[in-house]
């Protein structure tokens, strides 16, 4: 643990990936923060594997890119591509899915793939290097709240012991889908129930590993769509090159660990027989929950606390890191006195519509699109029509990667042509556009514009006040 901070400027409840990312962002901006995390060790469930190029830009500036790449479970030449298959994983119809390499020229760093527990270990180690970041592992926030002067959290050791009260000007809940902070701040959510129970299996199979290596070299994650599942995916993900996998799919309501044949489910989804050694069985409900606002007064939420959804497309942790980045500089600016009175309001105004768009135009959209396709096209009914549509979907998979371009055009902070407001849909471009991601172009000096942003943008934090004062948020 870092040095004890007697008076943090920000309390962060939840030291999962998003809470730790926010702590690093704040710590590097010289904001003292205390993270309260109930777990002493990271969860061994290999979720949150696909990290986008944008997320890796954050790790670069958090001083943790090299460590993250070293922590990857696959050798660099293994490949980390995705694939969509029809009917069965080893059936006749499949195409490349989520070809993130198509947008690589627009980002400064390459994407990455590793289990979330490995990512969290890297973040824990980086946070421990920052003297103004204190992480209290094994402590749970029991109660949080605010008054006119600040925010507070009553925290208790999970192992038992006396309650301690932390206070700070601001408090952020990065405490996951069932967020205590969201409830304490009375931040309402818009829920879309899909009424589906999903199983999450972690398993080992040498045979499946061999079959996938032969049939689909370079691919790491596989969604199988089947008419019986109405657009909900059967999803296989490689965890490492040593034959470890995870899988999720809908199961009938009332399914338990003991009353269902999960091996048969896996074999049916693959359309092949293989050895299966199941290591973990978990369940979750497929639904969308989006907070209507990401903050109230001195309390904010980020990551799954603000938006929870099925992991289709790998938007969860990547979006959470982007929340941390957006909120982090705004908290620092406000605390350090160079942010305007309404700057913190812009966090929710920018980030909430981006996730609304991510649900509507990507995650839920993909379920509905697959459902329509599966109803309308079937190779047993009309092979020609099915194959034509399958080919069209295959090209569409490329367009989907390109169209996911969260941007803040039209946000209260952004100069430039009036837009419809922040959203998730856009287009990648190699030119500077107000409110959009900056592409990594070479400057006349020969250096990349990202190199000129400086280490950890601390210099930028000192230079920015004059420009911002002209247009206060
Ligand atoms: C099977 C699966 C696959 C996935 N794949 C991807 C993917 O490829 N790409 C992607 O981007 N996302 C993926 N996700 C989603 C991703 O895992 C989540 O979005 C991510 O974990 C969110 O991080 P978080 O820090 O917001 O919340 P969490 O990971 O839930 O962390 C919250 C933390 O808060 C702590 N906490 C909660 N309450 C308290 C309290 N009162 N006091 C103290 N501590 C508390 C918890 O212990 C936890 O450590 C996947 C999810 C699943 C289930």
């Amino acid at each position: 643990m870092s040095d004890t901070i007697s008076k943090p400027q920000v309390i962060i409840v939840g030291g999962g990936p998003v809470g730790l990312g926010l702590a690093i962002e704040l710590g590097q901006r010289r904001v003292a923060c205390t993270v309260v995390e109930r777990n002493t060790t990271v969860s061994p469930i290999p979720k949150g594997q696909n990290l986008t190029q944008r997320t890796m830009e954050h790790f670069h500036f958090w001083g943790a890119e090299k460590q993250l790449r070293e922590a990857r479970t696959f050798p660099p030449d293994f490949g980390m591509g995705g694939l969509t298959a029809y009917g069965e994983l080893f059936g006749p119809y499949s195409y490349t899915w989520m070809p993130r390499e198509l947008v690589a020229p627009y980002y400064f760093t390459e994407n990455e793939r590793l289990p979330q527990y490995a990512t969290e270990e890297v973040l824990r180690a980086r946070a421990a290097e920052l003297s103004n970041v204190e992480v209290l592992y094994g402590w749970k926030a029991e109660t949080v709240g605010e008054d006119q002067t600040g925010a507070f959290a009553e925290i208790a050791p999970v192992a038992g012991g006396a309650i301690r009260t932390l206070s700070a000007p601001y408090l952020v809940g990065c405490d996951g889908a069932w967020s205590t902070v969201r409830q304490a701040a009375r931040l309402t959510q818009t829920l879309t129930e899909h009424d589906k129970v999903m199983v999450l299996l972690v398993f080992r199979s040498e045979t499946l590993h061999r079959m996938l290596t032969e049939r689909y070299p370079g691919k790491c994650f596989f969604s199988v769509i089947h008419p019986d599942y109405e657009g909900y995916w059967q999803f296989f993900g490689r965890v490492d090159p040593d034959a470890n996998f995870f899988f999720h799919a809908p199961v009938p309501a009332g399914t338990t660990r003991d009353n269902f044949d999960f091996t048969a489910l896996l074999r049916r989804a693959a359309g092949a027989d293989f050895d299966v050694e199941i290591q973990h069985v978990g369940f979750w409900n497929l639904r969308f929950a989006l907070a209507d606002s990401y903050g109230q007064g001195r309390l904010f939420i980020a990551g799954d606390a603000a938006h929870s959804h099925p992991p289709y497309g790998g938007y969860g942790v990547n979006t959470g890191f982007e929340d941390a980045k957006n909120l982090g500089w705004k908290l620092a600016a406000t605390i350090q006195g160079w942010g305007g009175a309404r700057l913190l309001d812009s966090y929710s105004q920018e980030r909430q519509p981006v996730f609304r768009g991510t649900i509507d135009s990507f995650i839920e959209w993909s379920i509905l699109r697959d459902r329509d396709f599966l109803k309308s096209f079937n190779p047993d009914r009309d092979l020609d029509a099915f194959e034509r549509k399958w080919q069209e979907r295959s090209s569409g998979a490329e367009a989907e990667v390109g169209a996911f371009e969260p941007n803040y055009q039209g946000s209260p902070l952004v100069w430039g042509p009036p837009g419809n407001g922040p959203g998730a849909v856009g287009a990648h471009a190699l030119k500077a556009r107000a409110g959009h991601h900056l592409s990594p172009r070479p400057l006349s000096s020969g250096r990349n514009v990202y190199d000129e942003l400086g280490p950890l943008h601390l210099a930028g934090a000192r230079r920015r006040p004059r420009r911002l004062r002209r247009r206060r948020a």
Side-chain angles (χ1 to χ4, degrees), residues 355-473:
F355 209 78
R356 179 77 267 159
T358 306
I359 293 175
D360 293 347
S361 302
F362 296 93
I363 312 178
E364 195 169 36
W365 169 84
S366 71
I367 297 173
L368 302 177
R369 178 211 42 188
D370 288 351
R371 182 175 300 166
D372 277 355
F373 165 74
L374 291 163
K375 266 194 214 145
S376 310
F377 298 91
N378 187 312
D380 296 334
R381 284 202 309 263
D382 184 341
L383 184 60
D384 280 354
F386 172 86
E387 289 190 339
R388 266 198 311 278
K389 191 70 185 173
W390 190 251
Q391 180 55 40
E392 195 185 298
R393 284 175 57 101
S394 162
S395 342
E398 296 182 4
E400 192 181 331
V401 171
F404 182 68
E405 195 257 332
N407 64 79
Y408 306 138
Q409 193 167 308
S411 114
L413 292 190
V414 175
W415 279 338
N420 297 326
V425 180
H428 288 78
L430 292 175
K431 66 175 185 180
R433 293 168 296 165
H436 290 256
H437 175 258
L438 179 68
S439 294
R441 302 299 285 158
L443 300 172
S444 50
S445 64
R447 277 164 62 82
N448 195 289
V449 63
Y450 270 68
D451 295 324
E452 297 295 341
L453 293 177
L456 319 175
H457 19 233
L458 289 177
R462 281 195 298 273
R463 276 200 306 268
R464 261 183 211 126
R466 265 185 296 135
R467 283 206 298 276
L468 277 182
R469 242 180 249 128
R470 275 189 275 142
R471 182 173 164 79
R472 293 204 141 202

Side-chain angles (χ1 to χ4, degrees), residues 13-20 36-39 45-51 113 116 120 124 139-142 174-180 200 235 246 248 284 302-305 307 309-311 313-320:
V13 176
V18 175
L20 290 173
V36 184
E37 169 52 52
R38 63 187 174 197
N39 293 333
I45 306 303
K47 50 186 188 167
Q49 303 242 354
N50 281 317
L51 301 182
R113 182 179 165 83
Q116 189 166 308
E120 288 188 44
R124 283 182 171 214
W139 286 77
K140 183 169 185 252
E142 302 276 1
C174 301
D175 47 347
W178 306 106
S179 172
T180 302
L200 172 63
F235 187 96
F246 73 89
H248 49 84
W284 45 281
D304 277 17
H307 40 78
H309 50 90
Y315 292 102
V317 79
N318 291 298
T319 303

Side-chain angles (χ1 to χ4, degrees), residues 123-179:
L123 289 164
R124 283 182 171 214
R126 179 63 187 130
E129 289 171 356
L130 298 169
S131 61
N132 50 1
V133 173
E134 174 188 43
V135 188
L136 302 175
Y137 292 112
W139 286 77
K140 183 169 185 252
E142 302 276 1
T143 314
V144 303
E146 64 165 336
D147 56 29
Q148 278 164 349
T149 55
F152 68 88
E154 287 179 343
I155 64 171
V158 173
I163 287 185
R164 193 176 144 189
T165 302
L166 298 175
S167 56
Y170 297 99
L171 183 147
V172 186
C174 301
D175 47 347
W178 306 106
S179 172

Side-chain angles (χ1 to χ4, degrees), residues 1-68:
M1 192 195 299
S2 329
D3 297 342
T4 296
I5 293 168
S6 55
K7 192 82 184 107
Q9 292 162 300
V10 179
I11 301 163
I12 300 172
V13 176
V18 175
L20 290 173
L22 177 62
I24 295 165
E25 180 71 23
L26 289 170
Q28 291 188 166
R29 291 179 178 274
R30 304 193 185 103
V31 174
C33 55
T34 296
V35 182
V36 184
E37 169 52 52
R38 63 187 174 197
N39 293 333
T40 48
T41 54
V42 301
S43 158
I45 306 303
K47 50 186 188 167
Q49 303 242 354
N50 281 317
L51 301 182
T52 60
Q53 290 102 339
R54 175 65 180 150
T55 287
M56 293 310 294
E57 288 177 351
H58 300 328
F59 275 82
H60 173 80
F61 287 108
W62 287 339
E65 183 189 353
K66 183 166 166 284
Q67 297 89 315
L68 194 84

Side-chain angles (χ1 to χ4, degrees), residues 203-280:
F203 69 98
R204 191 173 163 70
S205 173
E206 294 282 351
T207 326
L208 181 63
H209 168 59
R210 256 196 324 276
M211 291 162 76
L212 286 172
T213 307
E214 278 163 26
R215 174 90 183 258
Y216 302 127
K219 302 288 190 217
C220 271
F221 53 101
F222 312 87
S223 85
V224 183
I225 58 171
H226 189 289
D228 289 353
Y229 287 94
E230 300 171 318
Y232 302 107
W233 300 351
Q234 302 176 91
F235 187 96
F236 291 86
R238 280 181 175 278
V239 177
D240 56 33
D242 298 325
N244 289 305
F245 295 89
F246 73 89
F247 174 84
H248 49 84
V251 286
T255 298
T256 67
R257 278 162 214 231
D258 306 317
N259 68 6
F260 196 81
D261 186 347
F262 298 110
T263 300
L265 177 73
L266 288 166
R267 290 178 179 155
R268 206 163 47 243
D273 201 5
F274 51 88
D275 61 291
V276 177
E277 183 196 325
I278 291 181
Q279 294 158 337
H280 168 86

